[in-house]
Amino acid sequence: MLSHRPRRNRRSQVVRDLIAETDISQSHLVYPIFVGEDLSSPVSIQSMPGIYRWDEKGVIDEVLRCRDLGIFSFAIFPAISEAKKDPYAKEATNPNGLVPRLIKKIKNLDAQIVLFTDVALDPYNSDGHDGILKSGKILNDETVEILKQMACVQADAGADFVSPSDMMDGRIGAIRKELDKNGFTETGIMSYAAKYASNFYGPFRDALDSAPKSGDKKTYQMDFRNSKEALHEMKLDFEQGADILMVKPALSYLDIIHQSSKEFDIPIAAYNVSGEYSMLHLAAQAKMINLDQAMIEVITSIHRAGADIIFTYFAKHIAMMKGQ
Ligand code: PBG
């Protein structure tokens, strides 16, 4: 006789649901949204089916539609007009710029809504890099000075979590200090702590026209051959006062998500990035997979690996499937 028959616990849907160790719900999802400032109607993003670059008015309706589906958390990514970009990313610290304007409007709609705002220079920088470029080099400390101000402008407008995604050294401590100095002690910091120089950001850069004009991001984003380096980056950001630590991308980095969830006693977020989203859509269009089922499997696996919070372009789709 067999002493163990694990199949007994899989005998029916009810039994399987009863013993399920993880489940995803929209309360753990953050929906990234793209907004353009010189648009009069939404533009669909070629490389990301179902995703739009919203005009300033359209985004408000989209946020409300998502809220009604049970999504309360959003990450805002701006597409700034070319005319406003310069080598010093001046528009990044404009208190009347697109992002601060939107933060105010969205927070006014519903105070329960939680906003994560990107702190990095690439949407504002004519060089397309996350930091200031000079003679072929990204300047670290000069960039951090701008990021500090950028974070305060976003906090002042009402951002819940400023989210540095730039990978400059020392920015979390510098931003925390500047926020506190200016009275924004309640504003959180979600650090893109372990952000890899990934091949999976392509559709996002398409969506925002934010690809670097020269070179790549490998002197600041991490090398995908490393995992100890990720834990080092996360430890530094944890010690400097981050409230949430992110691993990005998610799918090729489930080991990093898992290790960091064991290592740190603060929430871990993972970003299911644009390329990961588009791959699934393309496979479904080619009738190789069932999109609904593959999507749930993918997002559940990120959660199972240890991510408490998942940033995903599938958030709305999942919420529609799950119902309220
Ligand atoms: C840049 C930023 C990127 C993403 C989020 N913030 C792209 C990059 O680093 O070039 C990518 C997100 C995605 O691919 O979905 N600050």
Side-chain angles (χ1 to χ4, degrees):
M1 289 294 264
L2 282 177
S3 58
H4 294 280
R5 287 182 181 272
R7 288 187 54 202
R8 282 184 200 123
N9 287 346
R10 292 180 216 135
R11 76 179 69 179
S12 71
Q13 189 64 47
V14 173
V15 174
R16 290 193 292 274
D17 287 347
L18 202 58
I19 66 154
E21 298 168 38
T22 36
D23 196 7
I24 50 158
S25 80
Q26 45 276 53
S27 53
H28 291 279
L29 303 180
V30 178
Y31 194 32
I33 38 176
F34 301 128
V35 189
E37 64 181 339
D38 38 16
L39 299 176
S40 48
S41 58
V43 178
S44 69
I45 313 253
Q46 207 80 50
S47 51
M48 299 179 74
I51 301 296
Y52 295 84
R53 188 193 285 187
W54 294 95
D55 55 286
E56 268 189 79
K57 263 178 82 187
V59 73
I60 299 294
D61 298 328
E62 175 68 354
V63 165
L64 287 175
R65 278 192 293 273
C66 293
R67 182 205 54 185
D68 294 343
L69 290 164
I71 299 169
F72 284 86
S73 301
F74 300 88
I76 303 176
F77 293 102
I80 300 299
S81 52
E82 283 302 319
K84 289 191 181 154
K85 297 185 185 180
D86 67 71
Y88 297 97
K90 279 200 209 70
E91 182 64 13
T93 51
N94 176 2
N96 302 312
L98 175 63
V99 169
R101 279 203 304 276
L102 269 174
I103 298 171
K104 286 183 200 149
K105 276 192 204 153
I106 296 174
K107 292 293 288 186
N108 263 334
L109 286 177
D110 184 337
Q112 288 188 88
I113 290 174
V114 170
L115 294 180
F116 292 81
T117 48
D118 200 54
V119 181
L121 303 187
D122 51 328
Y124 306 94
N125 181 342
S126 45
D127 295 306
H129 277 284
D130 292 25
I132 298 297
L133 183 71
K134 204 159 185 187
S135 318
K137 287 209 162 70
I138 300 292
L139 305 180
N140 193 88
D141 299 4
E142 291 80 349
T143 299
V144 171
E145 283 307 309
I146 305 174
L147 298 175
K148 274 163 48 176
Q149 290 161 32
M150 185 178 178
C152 281
V153 165
Q154 296 174 350
D156 192 36
D160 296 275
F161 290 93
V162 293
S163 311
S165 69
D166 56 290
M167 291 298 281
M168 295 302 117
D169 293 333
R171 88 276 205 223
I172 299 300
I175 289 173
R176 183 70 270 162
K177 218 166 136 192
E178 191 72 10
L179 288 172
D180 291 348
K181 200 173 91 188
N182 287 281
F184 303 118
T185 53
E186 295 302 308
T187 308
I189 301 179
M190 195 219 58
S191 173
Y192 286 71
K195 177 171 178 180
Y196 284 87
S198 171
N199 294 292
F200 293 98
Y201 303 149
F204 174 98
R205 294 178 188 172
D206 233 33
L208 295 181
D209 285 331
S210 65
K213 302 283 191 303
S214 63
D216 54 40
K217 298 190 174 186
K218 289 182 181 168
T219 69
Y220 45 107
Q221 298 181 349
M222 284 185 36
D223 187 324
F224 57 73
R225 291 172 294 186
N226 301 339
S227 63
K228 279 198 293 194
E229 190 185 0
L231 292 178
H232 180 55
E233 282 282 6
M234 295 177 95
K235 183 161 175 270
L236 291 173
D237 290 359
F238 173 76
E239 287 168 351
Q240 289 171 38
D243 299 282
I244 301 171
L245 296 169
M246 175 183 272
V247 176
K248 175 183 176 186
L251 289 183
S252 300
Y253 302 89
L254 294 176
D255 56 328
I256 311 296
I257 296 172
H258 187 67
Q259 288 179 59
S260 56
S261 75
K262 297 274 175 250
E263 188 76 22
F264 301 103
D265 295 331
I266 58 172
I268 301 296
Y271 201 136
N272 176 228
V273 300
S274 56
E276 299 174 330
Y277 174 85
S278 300
M279 276 196 304
L280 237 57
H281 269 278
L282 283 181
Q285 275 169 20
K287 304 218 179 329
M288 293 175 186
I289 58 168
N290 173 301
L291 183 63
D292 287 359
Q293 290 170 20
M295 165 185 81
I296 297 294
E297 179 178 343
V298 160
I299 302 300
T300 304
S301 76
I302 300 169
H303 190 35
R304 191 194 61 228
D308 306 290
I309 304 168
I310 302 170
F311 284 55
T312 178
Y313 303 98
F314 286 118
K316 189 178 175 193
H317 188 158
I318 292 173
M320 290 195 295
M321 265 179 76
K322 294 229 151 198
Q324 272 263 48

